[in-house]
Amino acid sequence: MHATDVAVIGAGPYGLSAAAQLKARGIDFRIFGQPMIFWQRMLPKINLKSPDFGTNIYTAERGHTFVEWCKEKGYSRQEPIPMARFTEYGVDIQRRLLPMVETAEVANVEREGDGFAISLGDGTRFRARKVISAVGLTYFANVPAPLDRVPRYYVSHTSHHSNYDGWAGKEVVVLGGGQSALEAAAALNEAGAKVQIAVRAPDVYFAGPPSEGPRSLRDRLKMPASVLGPGWLNLSLQRAPLWPHLMPDARRVRLTKNHLGPWGAWWVRQRVEGQVGVLGNVEVAGAREDGSRLRLKLRQSDGRERDLTVDHVVCGTGFVADVSRLPFVGPGLAADIRRIERAPRLSRKFESSVPGLYFVGQAASLSFGPLFRFVAGAQYAAPTVARHIADSLRGRVPVPTLQATGDAASTRS
């Protein structure tokens, strides 16, 4: 018979940060997931787009930031920084500070009394007072509506690929002009595929390389540095992360979706420009099978349409938080979660309309703004949730338990 105060679902940057904050407060918890698995599955050549000082596992103890870890290991922090290095950092912090992470799959979460009954993939069940969903982007890959009913043989998302081995000679369209789309197009081209990028904008855009040497006072005042990049809006989102939560829904959603839109980092530019064709001012209006290939109907900004036949479409079209896509949230629990569009509506403490059920990361972005589309948002979210849980557990009574139906000890790592 097993029980715990908190179950954390997800072992990426948000889940590990939340667990570290719970541990520092002496709260009993269990955390589930393959550590940093989403990051480990990324393409080999991908680099860290966020600044090194704004991409961390946010522990309560000092000395565990990514910058400090790189110094300890003797790694250069000159851009571009390999994404694999941040992944290595996350796994190392997990092993050092959170060795209790369990790799068992959480199969189902349901309300029971004043807490939750949780079932694992091996049939084990236990009870938790609180649940933190910190699954990151794993379940939220966005495929545009005209393609969402097309067989997966023809359509995939950038997050589905760790490499493009065996794609030589295939004709591929990559949708989107953001970093993941541009990285995918570059990797496909280098694998020998015939690639085109399709974007709604006139063209794809890239940031310039960072200036060498210290920035002038004028530049720092005009465009102050932040974890989201330079600019006063970005700095305000970092320094006062609650203010978007106080906005009307429509304005906050618009800010979250439109701020920091699609563009590529400077180091991917040479792998794309002059290497990959760009179809600008177009969007996919329809798709159908055409023999062994896929015929796309592309609508141009002037309303005219054209057909394009390809072997495959890779969607670099971002992520959309959707409670219904979380496999461990059953229909009964999902029906009790109030929404902003398809994402959970959250309180100032990241608690959903189901008491004791919290969401952090991408799932929180429509309630809190664009900061929470990025790892940097964990700096605010993780301690906020941990403090709220600690306060709510004061004066607690023993947690009721469920009869275990499997060997829970075997799921401990």
Side-chain angles (χ1 to χ4, degrees):
M1 300 175 72
H2 302 271
T4 188
D5 284 329
V6 186
V8 181
I9 305 174
Y14 273 89
L16 294 175
S17 296
Q21 297 290 333
L22 294 170
K23 180 183 176 183
R25 289 165 174 80
I27 297 171
D28 183 52
F29 69 91
R30 293 173 71 176
I31 175 173
F32 300 90
Q34 298 281 348
M36 302 294 289
I37 189 63
F38 183 86
W39 302 75
Q40 293 187 47
R41 290 174 176 167
M42 289 185 178
L43 296 172
K45 290 186 178 181
I46 281 186
N47 298 305
L48 193 65
K49 188 177 179 184
S50 301
D52 56 4
F53 61 86
T55 314
N56 303 289
I57 307 301
Y58 292 94
T59 65
E61 304 90 343
R62 294 181 180 275
H64 298 298
T65 67
F66 182 54
V67 169
E68 291 166 318
W69 181 86
C70 286
K71 290 179 179 178
E72 174 190 325
K73 297 288 185 178
Y75 289 147
S76 168
R77 288 164 40 231
Q78 183 176 354
E79 291 188 352
I81 299 171
M83 189 73 75
R85 187 168 301 162
F86 177 71
T87 304
E88 180 188 351
Y89 155 76
V91 171
D92 191 33
I93 294 300
Q94 178 266 313
R95 289 171 177 165
R96 291 190 199 183
L97 302 182
L98 297 163
M100 72 289 293
V101 171
E102 303 176 49
T103 57
E105 176 189 5
V106 175
N108 188 60
V109 177
E110 58 188 28
R111 298 177 75 172
E112 183 163 292
D114 61 350
F116 300 88
I118 298 172
S119 301
L120 303 182
D122 64 0
T124 301
R125 301 183 74 216
F126 69 97
R127 180 171 165 78
R129 288 180 175 275
K130 314 286 184 181
V131 172
I132 301 173
S133 175
V135 296
L137 302 173
T138 299
Y139 301 108
F140 298 146
N142 178 49
V143 174
L147 298 171
D148 62 1
R149 296 184 183 275
V150 174
R152 297 300 89 166
Y153 177 80
Y154 298 107
V155 177
S156 60
H157 191 271
T158 53
S159 62
H160 299 158
H161 300 283
S162 297
N163 63 70
Y164 291 102
D165 297 343
W167 288 62
K170 291 184 179 293
E171 293 187 49
V172 184
V173 164
V174 177
L175 300 183
Q179 184 73 7
S180 64
L182 297 173
E183 296 265 18
L188 281 160
N189 177 64
E190 291 158 3
K194 301 173 183 177
V195 193
Q196 296 183 84
I197 299 170
V199 290
R200 293 180 178 180
D203 205 343
V204 295
Y205 302 97
F206 300 89
S211 56
E212 297 183 4
R215 299 172 68 209
S216 68
L217 176 60
R218 179 181 178 182
D219 284 345
R220 283 179 283 151
L221 290 174
K222 184 178 180 181
M223 296 289 283
S226 81
V227 295
L228 296 179
W232 282 104
L233 176 55
N234 289 336
L235 185 62
S236 73
L237 291 168
Q238 174 189 341
R239 296 287 181 85
L242 188 60
W243 70 260
H245 184 76
L246 307 178
M247 299 171 68
D249 285 354
R251 291 179 58 194
R252 184 191 328 104
V253 169
R254 188 164 55 249
L255 171 67
T256 302
K257 291 182 177 181
N258 296 335
H259 185 53
L260 300 172
W263 54 273
W266 61 270
W267 59 78
V268 77
R269 185 172 198 156
Q270 63 182 2
R271 298 174 59 203
V272 174
E273 279 195 346
Q275 308 294 321
V276 178
V278 177
L279 302 172
N281 295 315
V282 299
E283 62 180 349
V284 177
R288 62 180 176 86
E289 293 184 57
D290 184 1
S292 62
R293 307 183 79 203
L294 185 68
R295 183 179 294 272
L296 297 175
K297 179 178 291 185
L298 301 180
R299 181 178 296 121
Q300 301 175 178
S301 58
D302 60 7
R304 291 183 297 173
E305 294 182 346
R306 56 175 290 195
D307 286 352
L308 179 67
T309 303
V310 297
D311 295 307
H312 196 87
V313 178
V314 176
C315 300
T317 44
F319 300 85
V320 175
D322 185 346
V323 170
S324 65
R325 291 189 184 181
L326 296 174
F328 52 85
V329 177
L333 181 59
D336 291 336
I337 301 173
R338 295 177 60 201
R339 317 287 176 89
I340 298 176
E341 295 188 349
R342 288 174 280 172
R345 179 181 295 278
L346 305 177
S347 73
R348 295 187 186 187
K349 306 300 182 182
F350 296 85
E351 190 174 24
S352 71
S353 54
V354 176
L357 177 60
Y358 300 79
F359 291 86
V360 294
Q362 177 76 17
S365 62
L366 292 192
S367 285
F368 282 88
L371 175 66
F372 298 89
R373 290 163 38 202
F374 302 91
V375 172
Q379 184 176 19
Y380 178 77
T384 298
V385 171
R387 280 193 299 268
H388 190 249
I389 288 175
D391 290 343
S392 69
L393 292 176
R394 288 174 182 166
R396 63 193 178 192
V397 296
V399 183
T401 58
L402 293 170
Q403 177 65 45
T405 55
D407 181 9
S410 67
T411 67
R412 298 275 185 174
S413 58

